[in-house]
Amino acid sequence: NRMKRNNVGSSFDSWLREEGIYEEVSATAIRRVLARQVEAAMTEKKFSRTEMARRMRTSRAALDRLLDPEYGAITLSTLCKAANVLGRELVVELR
């Protein structure tokens, strides 16, 4: 007897909402994706963390926080700065 796999994602979302952790889990997932995208772009441009921080006119510690998906206080300003340095565009939208 095989379990139906239809709507597994929406069932998981429902469970996260029932547990009261949907927003927290979603925010962490978004931070992980952004951190990976910034790191991938840095690798593509051959920017070290020190060079990236210098180009952003910020500290290495601030860049490390940006790249840490567990750190929850990244500002849009910092993300925009990183995107600009990397020749990328930050796109934020509500769905």
Side-chain angles (χ1 to χ4, degrees):
N1 202 1
R2 291 177 58 162
M3 184 175 105
K4 285 189 179 182
R5 296 199 183 261
N6 296 341
N7 301 320
V8 170
S10 60
S11 297
F12 185 63
D13 286 354
S14 296
W15 178 79
L16 291 173
R17 288 180 200 279
E18 288 170 17
E19 295 295 311
I21 58 173
Y22 179 81
E23 289 79 12
E24 179 185 336
V25 171
S26 293
T28 300
I30 291 166
R31 287 192 301 270
R32 285 183 193 280
V33 168
L34 286 169
R36 286 183 183 149
Q37 288 177 339
V38 169
E39 283 187 307
M42 286 171 57
T43 299
E44 183 181 296
K45 298 261 185 195
K46 297 181 172 66
F47 290 169
S48 67
R49 287 186 178 211
T50 302
E51 176 65 10
M52 181 69 178
R54 185 188 68 75
R55 288 174 180 254
M56 287 177 63
R57 295 191 173 109
T58 192
S59 68
R60 169 69 193 270
L63 177 63
D64 288 343
R65 288 190 297 271
L66 171 66
L67 298 175
D68 178 359
E70 302 306 318
Y71 183 76
I74 296 302
T75 65
L76 286 176
S77 175
T78 300
L79 286 169
C80 286
K81 229 188 269 189
N84 188 309
V85 164
L86 295 166
R88 302 289 173 92
E89 179 182 12
L90 178 65
V91 178
V92 180
E93 64 183 38
L94 296 177
R95 292 187 184 181

